[in-house]
Amino acid sequence: MTTDDAYDAVILAGGAASRLRGADKPGLLVGGRTLVERVGAAVANARRIVLVGPDRPELSAAVVVREDPPGAGPVPALRAGLARVEASWVAVLAADLPFLTADDVDALHRRARGRAGAVYVDDGDRPQWLTGVWRTSALRDALAGYPGASLRGLMAPLDPARVRAAGRRRPAWYDCDTEDDVVQASRLIEENDA
C-alpha cells in the first residue's frame, strides 16, 4: 500500500441509541461479537483507527477521542475524529454495521479515486453517510467552513461516488438501529455460519 493509498478509519460510537432504549449499541453482541468489534475488523488494514466515543476493550489499539460535549452529534464527533487522522484517505463509519467487511471498505476506496469520496447507497438509492471513504483533505476543508449539524449537508456537496452493494443478502450499509435489526442481523449471521 503506497502512502497515497493508505487510509485511517474513524468509527463513530458515541450515539444515544434512543431507539434501543439507551442500550450500549456498539457493545451489543451480534453473532457472538460486538458491533464495534465487527466494524473494527472491517478496517483492520487501516494505519490508524480513531474511535469517537467511550473506550472499547475490543479495539484496544484504537486512538480514543470524544466530541465536545459528548453526545453532541455526528458532525462534532466527525470533527473530533478527523483531528486525529494522519492518512490521505479516511473511512468514516458507524459503529453498528454488522455486515461490513474489509472487501467493502476496499471497494469504497477504489471507487473514491479521482473524487472526494465514495459512499454506499441503500436499496432506495439513499446515501448512507456513515459508510464511506473520503479524501481526508476534502473532508477537512468541508468541515472547516461548515456550521450545520447534518452529515448529509456536509457530505452531499462533495459529490461522492455512489456505490451499490447489489445482490447481497447482507448489505454493507445495514445498520442496527432497533432491537429487530439486531435480532435479524444475528439470525443472518447464524444462518451463514451454520
Side-chain angles (χ1 to χ4, degrees), residues 26-53:
L28 290 175
L29 288 176
V30 174
R33 295 167 67 194
T34 65
L35 286 168
V36 74
E37 183 179 7
R38 289 181 172 282
V39 175
V43 290
N45 291 332
R47 287 176 56 192
R48 168 182 279 199
I49 296 175
V50 180
L51 179 70
V52 185

Side-chain angles (χ1 to χ4, degrees), residues 12-18 22-26 52-54 56 66-67 71 73 77:
L12 302 187
S18 57
D24 174 25
K25 182 163 56 166
V52 185
R56 298 282 173 180
R66 293 301 304 257
E67 70 273 30

Side-chain angles (χ1 to χ4, degrees), residues 74-183:
V75 172
L78 177 58
R79 190 171 273 123
L82 204 57
R84 301 300 297 271
V85 167
E86 297 176 347
S88 300
W89 294 93
V90 59
V92 177
L93 305 167
D96 64 342
L97 303 166
F99 305 129
L100 186 75
T101 67
D103 287 343
D104 296 322
V105 176
D106 289 345
L108 287 169
H109 198 174
R110 283 191 305 275
R111 290 290 304 277
R113 296 255 181 264
R115 309 207 45 167
V119 295
Y120 278 109
V121 295
D122 66 16
D123 292 338
D125 205 38
R126 293 176 298 268
Q128 300 302 298
W129 301 113
L130 290 178
T131 58
V133 171
W134 300 88
R135 190 172 297 281
T136 303
S137 59
L139 207 47
R140 279 198 175 119
D141 290 348
L143 265 173
Y146 185 65
S150 156
L151 286 176
R152 178 179 180 260
L154 172 71
M155 294 172 164
L158 296 175
D159 191 28
R162 296 160 68 100
V163 181
R164 286 177 181 71
R168 285 182 54 180
R169 186 170 177 207
R170 304 178 308 167
W173 50 261
Y174 182 96
D175 59 0
C176 290
D177 289 332
T178 67
E179 290 177 17
D180 285 346
D181 294 339
V182 173
V183 169

